[in-house]
Amino acid sequence: MSETISARVAELGHALPDPSTPAANYVPWVRSGNLVFISGQVPLKDGQCAYVGRVGEELDVETGRKAAQLCALNVLAHLAAAVEDDLSRVVRCVRLGGFVNAAPGFGQQPVVVNGASDLMVEVFGDKGKHSRAAVGVSSLPRNAAVEVDAVFEVL
Amino acid sequence: MSETISARVAELGHALPDPSTPAANYVPWVRSGNLVFISGQVPLKDGQCAYVGRVGEELDVETGRKAAQLCALNVLAHLAAAVEDDLSRVVRCVRLGGFVNAAPGFGQQPVVVNGASDLMVEVFGDKGKHSRAAVGVSSLPRNAAVEVDAVFEVL
Amino acid sequence: MSETISARVAELGHALPDPSTPAANYVPWVRSGNLVFISGQVPLKDGQCAYVGRVGEELDVETGRKAAQLCALNVLAHLAAAVEDDLSRVVRCVRLGGFVNAAPGFGQQPVVVNGASDLMVEVFGDKGKHSRAAVGVSSLPRNAAVEVDAVFEVL
């Protein structure tokens, strides 16, 4: 593995987005003890929400999966800030929460959220294997297709 | 109390399901420090989702309560794996998250999620008393009626 | 800052609600290590849910923001119980979860949940800056407009 999170992500053909700055009285991440809690991320790219609408209606499942991956890249951008981009300080991904903008009856949240889960394992190997909850929600900020929050254990 | 979680559950007239294996890059539970984070569980029985549909529409509240109980049994199956089925290693149930597949205007999420909460107290006594959040969601994996995730403190 | 949470809240022109007693087998808060997990709070005032209905439909965004603030006051009432109302024992607000009762297509969850976030910073200053997730849900207990849960680090 590479020594930095951003280089590891680049090796996989992705780029870390610029970490977003919340326009409100909260912060992208908080460290408490060895846990880093990362705020819910929508699929921002260059400051725009790149995937808008309901998965299973306006967007197909594969597109939802890509949205979840982009959420996860935003999660990693904030994690990198929390550990000074030092890959060796990431003990493991503890938990992902995946919220999918989805209509009643939609049941493929797991496939969608795999876009985030797979990226964690690609980046961190076994340390990327996490617990998770995946649910369908009625709406999301900016009408985003997916939102992902996370907890990591770090050094 | 019995010495194992599975025996304690059996005394109450229930059986721990076989722990499900996620078909993706996540795991049923992760331990970080003294906390065990358990992935969101749908009401699986013998590998099938036993309660499908919206509570308050296709399913009544009492059926939803049973679904939440079955979710909680799946939570306990994974907890048992995390502590080698040793009841004495469970310090307490810290938090349950209850997601109820429910239509707009439905307001009885607490009654539904009590199916999970009551089981925790039956199994663990005062150590089973937890914080929780109960919300209604637009849809769930496999169109399950309920999903429950959990955090436990363990030795 | 004042020495107690309740006095600090009063200085800001608010009052801590009486801490609600869950009518079920869960508790308003659980401490594990230095973390206090607070159960999801709906906007209760004098035992009644003061804000009912969907934000963006029955209630406007500003009313939703007030509902989130009242949820946060209920969170603080339980936090005060957890630390014997001692402001100096609050290390920081680690995380807020904001669930907004909202219709498909609603995208202003962040503005609504700011009602809770802003209060945390008013009460605790920089220690009030937290990670958060804000999502839209199909329904909430008592048909509440908003539900907020929280994690704090305490001494």
Side-chain angles (χ1 to χ4, degrees):
Chain A
M1 282 197 186
S2 318
E3 292 182 329
T4 66
I5 296 171
S6 53
R8 177 70 190 139
V9 167
E11 278 178 16
L12 295 166
H14 304 295
L16 285 192
D18 289 328
S20 59
T21 308
N25 268 324
Y26 69 99
V27 289
W29 56 272
V30 167
R31 180 168 178 169
S32 176
N34 287 327
L35 296 180
V36 173
F37 294 76
I38 296 183
S39 291
Q41 301 297 310
V42 293
L44 291 186
K45 188 165 190 176
D46 302 326
Q48 302 294 316
C49 186
Y51 296 93
V52 168
R54 291 203 130 186
V55 183
E57 292 183 344
E58 292 128 297
L59 304 175
D60 63 17
V61 170
E62 173 59 18
T63 304
R65 206 191 56 75
K66 287 178 187 165
Q69 185 188 63
L70 183 52
C71 294
L73 285 166
N74 281 275
V75 164
L76 292 178
H78 294 304
L79 175 67
V83 296
E84 298 170 302
D85 203 12
D86 183 344
L87 191 60
S88 70
R89 287 179 56 195
V90 180
V91 176
R92 79 174 299 161
C93 182
V94 172
R95 184 182 185 277
L96 291 187
F99 303 94
V100 181
N101 191 341
F106 182 77
Q108 299 198 66
Q109 293 85 357
V111 180
V112 172
V113 181
N114 282 352
S117 292
D118 290 349
L119 184 70
M120 292 301 157
V121 175
E122 289 167 17
V123 171
F124 300 111
D126 277 352
K127 295 176 179 181
K129 291 188 178 170
H130 49 273
S131 67
R132 85 175 193 194
V135 302
V137 292
S138 62
S139 56
L140 286 173
R142 303 188 189 206
N143 200 23
V146 185
E147 178 174 330
V148 175
D149 70 358
V151 181
F152 286 85
E153 182 178 332
V154 302
L155 298 179
Chain B
M1 282 198 187
S2 319
E3 293 182 328
T4 66
I5 295 170
S6 53
R8 178 69 190 139
V9 167
E11 277 178 17
L12 295 166
H14 304 294
L16 284 191
D18 290 328
S20 59
T21 307
N25 269 325
Y26 70 99
V27 290
W29 56 272
V30 166
R31 180 169 178 170
S32 176
N34 286 328
L35 297 180
V36 173
F37 294 77
I38 296 183
S39 291
Q41 302 296 311
V42 293
L44 291 186
K45 188 165 188 176
D46 302 327
Q48 302 294 316
C49 186
Y51 296 93
V52 168
R54 291 202 131 188
V55 183
E57 292 183 345
E58 293 129 296
L59 305 175
D60 64 17
V61 170
E62 173 59 18
T63 305
R65 207 191 54 75
K66 287 179 187 164
Q69 184 188 64
L70 183 52
C71 294
L73 286 166
N74 281 275
V75 165
L76 292 178
H78 295 304
L79 176 66
V83 296
E84 297 171 303
D85 203 13
D86 183 345
L87 191 61
S88 70
R89 287 180 55 196
V90 179
V91 176
R92 79 175 299 162
C93 182
V94 172
R95 184 183 185 279
L96 291 187
F99 303 94
V100 181
N101 190 342
F106 182 78
Q108 299 197 67
Q109 293 85 357
V111 181
V112 172
V113 181
N114 282 352
S117 292
D118 290 349
L119 184 69
M120 293 301 157
V121 175
E122 289 168 16
V123 171
F124 299 111
D126 277 351
K127 296 177 180 180
K129 290 188 178 171
H130 50 273
S131 67
R132 85 175 191 194
V135 301
V137 291
S138 62
S139 56
L140 286 173
R142 301 189 190 205
N143 199 22
V146 185
E147 179 174 330
V148 175
D149 70 358
V151 180
F152 286 85
E153 182 178 332
V154 302
L155 299 179
Chain C
M1 281 196 187
S2 318
E3 292 183 327
T4 66
I5 296 171
S6 53
R8 177 70 190 138
V9 166
E11 277 177 17
L12 295 166
H14 304 295
L16 284 192
D18 289 329
S20 59
T21 308
N25 269 324
Y26 69 99
V27 289
W29 56 272
V30 166
R31 180 169 178 169
S32 176
N34 287 327
L35 297 179
V36 173
F37 294 77
I38 296 183
S39 291
Q41 301 296 310
V42 293
L44 291 186
K45 188 166 187 175
D46 302 326
Q48 302 294 315
C49 186
Y51 297 93
V52 168
R54 291 201 132 187
V55 183
E57 291 183 345
E58 292 129 297
L59 304 175
D60 63 18
V61 170
E62 172 59 18
T63 304
R65 206 191 55 74
K66 287 178 187 165
Q69 185 188 62
L70 184 51
C71 294
L73 285 167
N74 280 275
V75 164
L76 292 179
H78 295 304
L79 176 66
V83 297
E84 297 169 304
D85 203 13
D86 182 346
L87 191 60
S88 71
R89 286 179 56 195
V90 179
V91 176
R92 79 174 299 162
C93 182
V94 173
R95 183 182 186 278
L96 291 187
F99 303 95
V100 181
N101 190 341
F106 182 78
Q108 299 197 68
Q109 293 85 358
V111 180
V112 172
V113 181
N114 282 352
S117 292
D118 290 349
L119 184 70
M120 292 302 158
V121 175
E122 289 167 16
V123 172
F124 299 111
D126 277 352
K127 296 177 178 179
K129 291 189 179 170
H130 49 273
S131 67
R132 84 175 193 194
V135 302
V137 293
S138 61
S139 56
L140 285 173
R142 302 188 188 204
N143 199 23
V146 185
E147 179 174 329
V148 175
D149 69 359
V151 180
F152 286 85
E153 183 178 332
V154 303
L155 298 178

